Amino acid sequence: MAKILMKGNEAIGEAAIRAGCLNYFAYPITPQSEVAEYLVRRMPEVGGVFLQGESEVAVGYMLFGAAGAGARVFTTSSSPGISLMSEAISYIAGAQCPAVFVNIMRGGPGLGGILPSQGDYFQATKGIGHGDCRLLVMAPASVQEAVEMVMMAFPLAEKYRNPVMILGDGLIGQMMEPVEFPDHLKTEPSNKDAWASNGMDHRGSKTRNLVKSLFLDPVQLNDNNLALKAKYERMRAEDVRSAAYNIDGDYPVLLVSYGTMSRVCRTAIDMLKDEGIEVGMIRPQTLFPFPEKAVADAAAKPSCRHVLSIEMSMGQMVEDVDRCIRGRVPVEWYGKCGGDIPTPEEIISVVKARIAGKE
Amino acid sequence: MAKILMKGNEAIGEAAIRAGCLNYFAYPITPQSEVAEYLVRRMPEVGGVFLQGESEVAVGYMLFGAAGAGARVFTTSSSPGISLMSEAISYIAGAQCPAVFVNIMRGGPGLGGILPSQGDYFQATKGIGHGDCRLLVMAPASVQEAVEMVMMAFPLAEKYRNPVMILGDGLIGQMMEPVEFPDHLKTEPSNKDAWASNGMDHRGSKTRNLVKSLFLDPVQLNDNNLALKAKYERMRAEDVRSAAYNIDGDYPVLLVSYGTMSRVCRTAIDMLKDEGIEVGMIRPQTLFPFPEKAVADAAAKPSCRHVLSIEMSMGQMVEDVDRCIRGRVPVEWYGKCGGDIPTPEEIISVVKARIAGKE
Amino acid sequence: MAKILMKGNEAIGEAAIRAGCLNYFAYPITPQSEVAEYLVRRMPEVGGVFLQGESEVAVGYMLFGAAGAGARVFTTSSSPGISLMSEAISYIAGAQCPAVFVNIMRGGPGLGGILPSQGDYFQATKGIGHGDCRLLVMAPASVQEAVEMVMMAFPLAEKYRNPVMILGDGLIGQMMEPVEFPDHLKTEPSNKDAWASNGMDHRGSKTRNLVKSLFLDPVQLNDNNLALKAKYERMRAEDVRSAAYNIDGDYPVLLVSYGTMSRVCRTAIDMLKDEGIEVGMIRPQTLFPFPEKAVADAAAKPSCRHVLSIEMSMGQMVEDVDRCIRGRVPVEWYGKCGGDIPTPEEIISVVKARIAGKE
Amino acid sequence: MAKILMKGNEAIGEAAIRAGCLNYFAYPITPQSEVAEYLVRRMPEVGGVFLQGESEVAVGYMLFGAAGAGARVFTTSSSPGISLMSEAISYIAGAQCPAVFVNIMRGGPGLGGILPSQGDYFQATKGIGHGDCRLLVMAPASVQEAVEMVMMAFPLAEKYRNPVMILGDGLIGQMMEPVEFPDHLKTEPSNKDAWASNGMDHRGSKTRNLVKSLFLDPVQLNDNNLALKAKYERMRAEDVRSAAYNIDGDYPVLLVSYGTMSRVCRTAIDMLKDEGIEVGMIRPQTLFPFPEKAVADAAAKPSCRHVLSIEMSMGQMVEDVDRCIRGRVPVEWYGKCGGDIPTPEEIISVVKARIAGKE
C-alpha cells in the first residue's frame, strides 16, 4: 500500500476509521482540533458518526453510552479536556467497557500553553480517575506509529474491556509524515454479545446484559476490583512494549524517553557516537504497563553508571524508572516543560556532565 | 478546652470554621453529605457562606474564583465528585492559589459503592489533574486528627499557594469520637495582597495582581512550572509527616498503612505482640510528600525481612513504598477494596505467613 | 393507498418521514414520548437521524443549527419543553429559517398534569418568544389531520422561512385511528441555496449566505422586522384555514372550537339537532393566522345571538374570537382545564342556557 | 426626601432594596447589566445576596426556590434572557409564588439588537409560559415611575402570589433622572406562613406547606386553574392602571402608547396643540390587566374618529386596543422596531394624515 503524506492529527482520525471505528465524539481544543475538522467531513463518507458534545464531560459519557451498547468508539482531546473526562473514564473502566482516548498533550497545569508537553504522564498512568482504575497507555514517537497504535488500540480495548489511551504531544499531531494504514491492523469488533447492553428485545432472555459500575455489596465490588487487578496484571504480562536503541555495546549512560522527546534523544545519541561516546536508550511504547524489565535489564549492564529520564515535564516518568532500577545506579530527570523541547545539544551536554561526574 | 463528641463529617465542617474559613462550596454525595448538612446551618451563624453548586465541575471553579479573590475556601466531596473537580484543581495549582479539598473516599471505580475505601491514593498523590501539578495530601486516622489536619490545611495551602487535600475514608466521616479544636491551630489568613486579584479599585496601581494559569510564552510557562517544582521540593523538605508504631525493637515484618486501615493494623500489632511476635508500622500522615526516609529507615533495620503495604485498595501506595525501599527487602500489598475492611485476624494471618516464608 | 391503524404519536413521526424530513431532535416528555420511541427505530431505517438533546434548550438550538444548514428538521415536545425552546424559536424566526415544532399540550401552568389540554394557545399564537416573532400554528382534530398538517408543515415552513407549529393535545397523540399518508403531500425541499449556510467551500463565492438574527444597525433590524411583518400578513392572506359545521341554516348559537374539543362540540351539535335546536360551528384549523373572516361571517348571520368559545383552557382563544366579532353579539368562554374534557351533555346544557337567556 | 440623580438601571436596583427585597439573582445581558453591577456592590452593604446564575434558566429556578421559601426575590434581564426563564415563570405562576421580573427590552426576535424596543408586549401579557398563566405587567415611562413600580411590585406579587413583571425599555434603563424612593412604598413582606415551604422543623405540624405546580388529578388541576383565573379577574378589577393626557376636550384622534414611546407622543400632542389640533392619549401603566375601559371610554367620545396604537414594535398592543374598541372607530398601528424611536414629527405627520383622511 502506497504511503500518503498526512498531518498527524488527520492520520489519527483516518486510522480510527481504518480500524473500523465509526463513532467519534469530541469537543474541540487546541492542539488537536484538526482531528475533528478531518472527521466532520470524513465520517459521513463512510457512514460513521461525529457528534460534538456540549462539553468534554458530556463527551466522556457519550463514549460510555455508545461503548456500553457495543460500538467501537473514540475521542480525541488535549490535557484540560481529558481532566473533564476523568469521571467518565473511571465509570467506563469500572463497568468494563472498551473505549479509546487520544490525548494530544499541551502544556499545563491549568490552561498552561498550547505547545507540546508530556505533563500528563502521571494522570494517564496512575490517577486518571478515582478508584482502582488504570488505562493501557501507548505513546507514539512518529505519525506512522500513531497510526498503528490507534489501529491497535481498538482490539486491545476489546481484549481487556478497558479504556486505552494514546498519549501523544502537539508535535505528533502537527507534523506531516508519510504514512500507511497496514491492512493487518484492520480488525473486526470482537463478540460484544457477552457483555454489551442489548436492549429491550432481549428482556427476559438469558443473554441480557447489564452495564454498570455500581456494586453496593462490598463482596461484589471487591470481586469486580479483583477482576480489574487481574486484567492489569495480564496487561503487564502480555502487552508491555518498548523499543531499544544502541544498547548492544557498553554504555556509561542510559536514557529513558518516549514520544517526540525520544526522537531528539536518538539524534543526541547519534551525535555522541560520532564523538566516540556510547549512550543507550529504552523508549517505552507502553507507559502503562511500564516496560520495567526492559529498563531494569538495560540499566543492569555493568558499564551503565547513570540513568537519565528525559521528559517534556518536570519529572514524572522518572519515578517509574527509579522504581524499577531499585537503587542500582543513580536515576535523574532532565527536561523542560513549557513548550520548548530540549535540543540534542542540551542533552549531549547533560550526558557529558554525568560522565564527567558533575551533577 | 473541653472535648465534644462529634461525628467525623460534622467535626470536619466545624474545624474549617474554627480555622477561619467562611467560604464553603459543595455538591452533596454520600458518604460525606453530613458536612454540607452541618454547614448549611452553621455557616450563617458565623457570617459565612455555603453555596451549593449546580455540579462538582461548578464547585471546583467556585473555589478557584473565591481563592483567586483571596478568600479562605474549602469543599468536601467523595471520589466521583473529586474527579469532576480535577480540571479546576489543575487550574488552581497552575494559578498558584490556596484551596482545601476534603475527599471522603468511597469505593470505585465509577459509581462503585458507598462504603469506605482508599482507592483514590494514586489520583490524590500523582494524577489529580493534567500537567505538572501536585497536591499536599494529608490522611487522618481519627476524627481528632481530621480536625487538626483540616485546621492545618489552610495555612499550609497559603504557605505554598497550592491546593491541599485531606484524604479520608467513609469511616472517618461516619464515626463519632470526642474532639477538641486546638486554639494554637487557629490562624490568620496570610497576606494575600501580594497575589490575590484585588479588583477594579486598584486599576493602574502597582499592586494590581493577575490570577491566571495561561502562559503562552514557553519560557514563562517553563518558569512557572519550575516554581511549582521548587514548591513540591520544599514540601518534601519541610512538611512531610509520619507516625511510627512499635519500631524500637527488632521486627521481622514492617507494615505501612494510613488512615482507618492503620488503626486495624495497630490492633493486629498489639495482638501479635501478645503472642511474642514483633511487627513495626510506619503510618504516613502526608501521602504527598510521601515519608520516604521514615519508611526506608524502618525497613533498613537488619531484622526486617518483609514489608507489607496494607491498603483498602487494590495496591496503590505499595508502588511508593516499593520505590523508596529500592529492592532491599520484598514489598508486598495486602488489602481489600469493596467496603469490607480487612480484620486484625486477617492481617495477623498474612504477617504470620510471611514470617513462615509462604506467600 | 391503504389505511393503517396507528397511534397519533406514531403517525406524527411517520408523517414527518413521509414528508421528507430526516432530522429529528427531541427530549422525552409525557404525553408525546412515543414519537421519539417510534423514530429512534424508524429513522435509521430510512437513513435519517434522531438525536436526543441534553435538554429542550439544546434541542431548540440543534434545530436552529440544522435548519440554518438547509436541512428539513422537526421536534416534538409538550408544554414545559416548548417553553424551554422559546428563546431558540425566537432566534429561528429572527434568522428566517424553516423548522417544524409539534406541541402535544399537557395541563399547565408549571408541571401541571399529563392529561390533554389546550392551555398553550396564547403562547403558540402570540408570545412564544421575545420580539416580533410569530409562528404559523395548525391544530389537528384527528390523527389523519395531524398526519396531513405535519406533511404540509414542511413546505409551509420553507415557503415562509419561518417556524411552523402543530398544536395538538394529549388525546390526538394517544388515540388510534386509521390513517393514510397522501402522496400528493410529499414534497421536495425547496431551494435552500438562496439562504442556507453553505459552508467553507463557498467562501468568497457570490452565493455565500449568513444565517443570523443579530442586526446592530437599527435600520437593518427594522427592515428585517418589516420583512417578518410582511410574511405574517401573507400568512393571513394565503394560508388561513378553517372548517365550518352546520352553518347553512339559521342558528341562534355559534360555537368556535378547535382540536379534540371540536369533536365533542360536533357530537353536541348533532344531539341538539335531534332535538330541533340548530347550532353552528367554526373550527379554526390555523390558530395563527386566525380565521377572523370565517368567524365574523358566521356570527354575522342574523339569527345568531350568542357565540361560545369552547376550550380546554381557562379562556384564551376567546380573546381572538371576541376581537373579530367586534361587539356584534356577546362572546363567552366555556371550558375546563385540568385534563377532564367537557362532555357533549355539558356543552348542550350551556347552549340551552344561552338560548334560554340565562348566563 | 431629597431627589437623587440616578441612571434608570441603578435606580431599579436601589428601589428593590428600598422595597425590602434582599435577594437578587441574575445573569448579565445588555442593556441592563448595570443593575447587576450596582447590586453586586450594594447588596452586601445591606446584608442582601446577589448570586449570578450559570444561565437565565438557572436564574429562573433560583427565584422559584427562594420565592417558595418565602423570600422577596427579583431578577432583571432583557428579552432573550426572559425567554430562557419562561418555563420557570410558568412554574412559579402555577405554584402561586410571588416573584418580580424586570425586563428591559431590547430589539428582537433572536439576538436582534441592543437598542430600545417594545417587542415583548405579547410575550409579557399573553404567552410568557405554557398553560393558563399570566403576569401582572407594569410599564414605566420615567425613571421615577420605574422606581415606584418596582417598589409596588413586591406587595402586588404577594397580594396575588403571582409573578409581577416590570416591562421597560433600554432608554428607561440608560437615562439619568432625579429620583426619590417614597417612604410610603416601603412595605413589610406579607405573612408567608400560610403557603411558603417552612422546612423540616414543621414536619408533621398542621402548618406544613407544600409548594408545587403538579396536580395529576384533573379535578385538582382544574381547581388550581380556576383559582388562577379568579386572581386574574381580581387584577382586572382592582389593579388596572392608566394615565390620560389631553382628553378633556374634543379630539379627532386618540393615541394609545406606553413607556418611553408615550413620552414622544406627549411631545407630539403638545406640538399639535400649538397648531390648534387636539389629540388625546391613554397611556396604559398596566399592560395586563389592560386598561380596557379607559381606552374604550376615551375612544367613545363622539369627536373621536381614529385610534392609533403607537409602539416600538411591529404592532402588538394594537390587538388589545382593537379588541376593546369593538369596531366603533378604525384602529391602526404606527411604529418602528429596530432601535430608532419614532420622532414627534413622524407622529405628527401620521396624525395629520389620518385627519386628512389618507391612510
Side-chain angles (χ1 to χ4, degrees), chain B residues 328-348:
Chain B
R328 217 199 60 78
V329 293
V331 175
E332 285 169 283
W333 160 82
Y334 176 73
K336 287 187 184 173
C337 180
D340 281 340
I341 302 173
T343 61
E345 291 72 19
E346 289 170 320
I347 294 166
I348 289 168

Coordinates of all heavy atoms in Angstrom, one line a residue, chain B residues 328-348:
Chain B
R328 N 15.7 -3.6 48.8 CA 16.4 -4.2 49.9 C 15.7 -5.4 50.5 O 16.3 -6.4 50.8 CB 16.6 -3.1 51.0 CG 17.9 -3.2 51.7 CD 17.9 -2.5 53.1 NE 16.9 -3.0 54.0 CZ 17.1 -4.1 54.7 NH1 18.1 -4.9 54.6 NH2 16.1 -4.5 55.6
V329 N 14.4 -5.3 50.6 CA 13.6 -6.4 51.1 C 12.3 -6.5 50.2 O 11.9 -5.5 49.6 CB 13.1 -6.3 52.6 CG1 14.3 -6.4 53.5 CG2 12.4 -5.0 52.8
P330 N 11.7 -7.7 50.2 CA 10.4 -7.8 49.4 C 9.3 -6.9 49.9 O 9.1 -6.8 51.1 CB 10.0 -9.2 49.4 CG 11.1 -9.9 50.3 CD 12.0 -8.9 50.8
V331 N 8.6 -6.2 49.0 CA 7.5 -5.4 49.4 C 6.2 -6.0 48.7 O 6.2 -6.2 47.5 CB 7.7 -3.9 48.9 CG1 6.5 -3.1 49.1 CG2 8.9 -3.3 49.5
E332 N 5.2 -6.2 49.5 CA 4.0 -6.8 49.0 C 2.8 -5.9 49.5 O 2.9 -5.2 50.5 CB 3.8 -8.2 49.5 CG 4.7 -9.2 48.9 CD 4.7 -10.5 49.6 OE1 5.3 -10.6 50.7 OE2 4.0 -11.4 49.1
W333 N 1.7 -6.1 48.7 CA 0.5 -5.5 49.0 C -0.5 -6.5 49.7 O -0.5 -7.6 49.3 CB -0.2 -4.9 47.8 CG -1.6 -4.7 47.9 CD1 -2.2 -3.6 48.5 CD2 -2.7 -5.5 47.5 NE1 -3.6 -3.7 48.5 CE2 -3.9 -4.9 47.9 CE3 -2.8 -6.8 46.9 CZ2 -5.2 -5.5 47.7 CZ3 -4.0 -7.4 46.7 CH2 -5.2 -6.7 47.1
Y334 N -1.2 -6.0 50.7 CA -2.3 -6.8 51.1 C -3.5 -5.8 51.4 O -3.3 -4.7 51.9 CB -2.1 -7.6 52.4 CG -3.3 -8.3 52.9 CD1 -3.8 -9.4 52.2 CD2 -4.0 -7.8 54.0 CE1 -4.9 -10.1 52.6 CE2 -5.2 -8.4 54.4 CZ -5.7 -9.6 53.6 OH -6.8 -10.2 54.0
G335 N -4.7 -6.3 51.0 CA -5.8 -5.4 51.2 C -7.1 -5.9 50.6 O -7.2 -7.0 50.1
K336 N -8.1 -5.0 50.7 CA -9.4 -5.3 50.1 C -9.9 -4.0 49.5 O -9.5 -2.9 50.0 CB -10.4 -5.8 51.2 CG -10.2 -7.2 51.7 CD -11.3 -7.6 52.6 CE -11.0 -9.0 53.2 NZ -12.0 -9.4 54.2
C337 N -10.8 -4.1 48.6 CA -11.4 -2.9 48.1 C -12.8 -3.2 47.7 O -13.1 -3.6 46.6 CB -10.6 -2.4 46.9 SG -11.3 -0.9 46.2
G338 N -13.7 -2.9 48.6 CA -15.1 -3.1 48.3 C -16.0 -2.5 49.4 O -17.2 -2.5 49.2
G339 N -15.3 -2.2 50.5 CA -16.1 -1.6 51.6 C -15.8 -2.5 52.8 O -15.8 -1.9 53.9
D340 N -15.6 -3.8 52.7 CA -15.2 -4.6 53.8 C -13.7 -4.2 54.2 O -12.9 -4.1 53.3 CB -15.2 -6.1 53.5 CG -16.6 -6.6 53.6 OD1 -17.5 -5.9 54.2 OD2 -16.9 -7.6 53.0
I341 N -13.5 -3.9 55.5 CA -12.1 -3.6 55.9 C -11.4 -4.9 56.4 O -12.1 -5.6 57.1 CB -12.2 -2.5 57.0 CG1 -13.0 -1.3 56.5 CG2 -10.8 -2.1 57.5 CD1 -13.3 -0.3 57.6
P342 N -10.2 -5.1 56.0 CA -9.5 -6.3 56.5 C -9.5 -6.3 58.0 O -9.3 -5.2 58.6 CB -8.1 -6.1 55.9 CG -8.2 -5.3 54.7 CD -9.4 -4.4 55.0
T343 N -9.7 -7.4 58.6 CA -9.8 -7.5 60.1 C -8.4 -7.7 60.6 O -7.5 -8.1 59.9 CB -10.6 -8.7 60.5 OG1 -10.0 -9.9 59.9 CG2 -12.1 -8.6 59.9
P344 N -8.2 -7.5 62.0 CA -6.9 -7.8 62.6 C -6.5 -9.2 62.4 O -5.4 -9.5 62.1 CB -7.2 -7.5 64.1 CG -8.3 -6.5 64.1 CD -9.2 -6.8 62.9
E345 N -7.5 -10.1 62.5 CA -7.2 -11.5 62.3 C -6.6 -11.8 60.9 O -5.7 -12.6 60.7 CB -8.4 -12.4 62.5 CG -8.9 -12.4 64.0 CD -9.5 -11.1 64.4 OE1 -9.9 -10.3 63.5 OE2 -9.6 -10.9 65.7
E346 N -7.2 -11.2 59.9 CA -6.7 -11.4 58.5 C -5.3 -10.9 58.4 O -4.4 -11.5 57.8 CB -7.6 -10.7 57.5 CG -8.9 -11.5 57.4 CD -10.0 -10.7 56.5 OE1 -10.1 -9.5 56.7 OE2 -10.7 -11.3 55.8
I347 N -5.0 -9.7 59.0 CA -3.7 -9.1 58.9 C -2.7 -10.0 59.7 O -1.6 -10.3 59.2 CB -3.7 -7.7 59.5 CG1 -4.5 -6.8 58.5 CG2 -2.3 -7.1 59.6 CD1 -4.9 -5.5 59.1
I348 N -3.1 -10.5 60.8 CA -2.2 -11.4 61.6 C -1.9 -12.6 60.8 O -0.7 -13.0 60.7 CB -2.9 -11.8 62.9 CG1 -3.0 -10.6 63.9 CG2 -2.3 -13.0 63.6 CD1 -3.9 -10.7 65.1

